[in-house]
Amino acid sequence: MPAIDIENLSFSYGDKQALKDVSIVVEEGDFTGLIGPNGSGKTTLIKNILGFIESEKGEIEIFGEKAMDFSDWNRIGYIPQHFEEDKQFPGTVRELLEANRSITGSTENIESLDIDSFLDSKFKDLSGGQKQRAMLALALQKNPDILILDEPSLGVDVEAQENFYNLIKELNDQGTTIILVTHDIGVVSEHTDKVICINNSVCCQGKTENLSKHVEEVYGDNYRLFHHMHEH
Ligand code: ADP
């Protein structure tokens, strides 16, 4: 049974159609990169899966259950794109984790994240890489079966990014299904096993080794531009 199975999903913000007839499958245990240029509907697709917004057309199934009937949301961990909104949060990482534990109520699974050295630092004072690990720790407190990461490496230096992707790979090796949203073709070809490429509708999906060349050809100029911006 797929972890996520979406059929003919369409979604519009008013007159603006963000998703058109999107059909995708994410199998349990996959490490999937969801890729597409800025504005291609990646975040909209994730928000539909998480039930933050509701599609007017199409079907979403999570572990074989229709999304609207699905209730075990602890099975899905989500790290959103904008940590910036949390910048003003006055608490420490330890306080955040304790508050979160009282909501999720489940055991911790975060020893490998190496967050001890900044547990008592305020979240807003952390570096990009530390924030990323703190966010991952929060998501892992639920012991999720699926982990969805939306552009997790924005504002994070290269070494911290590498460490972070290694952690994600370990989680995947232990059986967690990973969906990594990014516009960075380099990240997808290096770290994921499968790729779904969208530009409001699905352009291609399949094994990364078969598709990364194709994706590069379709979106080459965009990706070069983004790489350039990261580097400087
Ligand atoms: P991506 O995550 O791939 O950058 P998004 O899903 O954020 O793309 O956006 C897809 C399209 O929908 C874009 O054209 C964007 O401007 C539009 N959009 C996103 N969120 C909203 C919103 N809340 N209201 C109106 N339009 C939106």
Side-chain angles (χ1 to χ4, degrees), residues 74-75 106-109 138-146:
N74 272 350
R75 293 185 75 182
S106 70
T107 54
E108 293 184 29
N109 172 22
L138 286 166
L140 292 185
Q141 279 185 309
K142 304 201 290 186
N143 240 329
D145 296 314
I146 304 175

Side-chain angles (χ1 to χ4, degrees), residues 13-14 16-18 36-45 47 81 150-151 181 198 200:
Y13 298 99
K16 165 92 201 161
Q17 184 158 40
N38 263 344
S40 59
K42 302 181 296 295
T43 302
T44 302
L45 179 59
K47 285 182 177 170
Q81 186 172 1
D150 195 349
E151 298 279 5
V181 180
I198 67 167
N200 304 119

